[in-house]
Amino acid sequence: MAGHAPIPPPKFLEAAQSYMLGAHVCADGPVIYSWGTGDDSTIGIKAIPVDRMPPATEDIHPYDRATTVLQRSAPIPLWGFGMSYCGHVAFVPTGVSDSMAVVIDPGRTEPDNPRLELQRMCAAVLFVHSADRHDLIRPAGKSEPTAITFRGTDNPYPPPGEMRHLWIAAVALDRTNIERFAALDHGHGTTRPPIQ
């Protein structure tokens, strides 16, 4: 499915994150989601558990494979990709009222900074084609999750680690984002062209 759908209002993005987080089972491993909206306001959700995908016949990152399959099979235009997973989080004082959460990618057990105090967590991350990132993090033993948003206007580059694959797939949904990919070609990471 070519093209992209308008990004829904914040309350719907929050509901999408809550859905992914509530449905996640850590034993399933990371689950990649596509999110879209049809012309009649129909919401489309599809999901692929990364660990259950068939073996690859080519050298491609599993997140790229999942987002490609989801986009090609989407019956309606998409506005973003998400993922639910279990991992680790550390809350770092920033000198403001809230602490910044440092989320460790799935599969990693140690952060780059060994002084960080890690907590096990369940999380849902949502990337939309505006390059905004929305995290919903629930540390182990906590009932209420913490929501964090990173605006694409403040940070034009993909996040470090494996999450970059989801950011690139989401941003590529909007063909007008071609300038972002030109910047990536100049030393800020690998690109993935929009799917035709």
Side-chain angles (χ1 to χ4, degrees), residues 109-172:
T109 57
E110 296 295 333
D112 295 331
N113 183 347
R115 293 176 294 176
L116 292 178
E117 185 178 338
L118 294 179
Q119 301 176 48
R120 285 286 298 165
M121 61 148 192
C122 251
V125 61
L126 181 61
F127 293 95
V128 297
H129 58 69
S130 65
D132 289 353
R133 171 181 176 163
H134 305 274
D135 285 278
L136 192 62
I137 301 164
R138 187 176 61 227
K142 304 286 187 183
S143 58
E144 291 298 319
T146 298
I148 303 168
T149 295
F150 301 92
R151 298 293 177 197
T153 50
D154 299 330
N155 183 9
Y157 302 114
E162 296 189 331
M163 294 286 188
R164 70 184 297 104
H165 297 278
L166 297 177
W167 183 94
I168 290 170
V171 171

Side-chain angles (χ1 to χ4, degrees), residues 14-36:
E14 293 168 10
Q17 291 175 278
S18 295
Y19 174 86
M20 291 187 290
L21 188 62
H24 190 70
V25 176
C26 284
D28 290 342
V31 178
I32 307 289
Y33 289 81
S34 64
W35 293 90

Side-chain angles (χ1 to χ4, degrees), residues 5-187:
I7 298 169
K11 285 192 177 297
F12 185 86
L13 299 180
E14 293 168 10
Q17 291 175 278
S18 295
Y19 174 86
M20 291 187 290
L21 188 62
H24 190 70
V25 176
C26 284
D28 290 342
V31 178
I32 307 289
Y33 289 81
S34 64
W35 293 90
T37 308
D39 292 337
D40 59 354
S41 298
T42 300
I43 300 300
I45 309 167
K46 296 186 85 172
I48 295 180
V50 175
D51 294 345
R52 297 183 188 174
M53 289 191 301
T57 57
E58 55 188 287
D59 186 18
I60 181 172
H61 191 279
Y63 295 0
D64 289 336
R65 289 179 60 206
T67 54
T68 298
V69 168
L70 288 168
Q71 187 173 358
R72 286 180 174 159
S73 63
I76 58 177
L78 302 179
W79 46 261
F81 290 102
M83 181 171 69
S84 60
Y85 64 99
C86 292
H88 295 84
V89 66
F91 290 92
V92 182
T94 59
V96 293
S97 57
D98 295 325
S99 293
M100 180 181 74
V102 178
V103 178
I104 309 304
D105 279 348
R108 290 186 52 197
T109 57
E110 296 295 333
D112 295 331
N113 183 347
R115 293 176 294 176
L116 292 178
E117 185 178 338
L118 294 179
Q119 301 176 48
R120 285 286 298 165
M121 61 148 192
C122 251
V125 61
L126 181 61
F127 293 95
V128 297
H129 58 69
S130 65
D132 289 353
R133 171 181 176 163
H134 305 274
D135 285 278
L136 192 62
I137 301 164
R138 187 176 61 227
K142 304 286 187 183
S143 58
E144 291 298 319
T146 298
I148 303 168
T149 295
F150 301 92
R151 298 293 177 197
T153 50
D154 299 330
N155 183 9
Y157 302 114
E162 296 189 331
M163 294 286 188
R164 70 184 297 104
H165 297 278
L166 297 177
W167 183 94
I168 290 170
V171 171
L173 292 171
D174 184 349
R175 305 289 181 93
T176 65
N177 284 327
I178 192 69
E179 292 180 3
R180 290 183 183 270
F181 291 94
L184 291 177
D185 284 335
H186 289 89

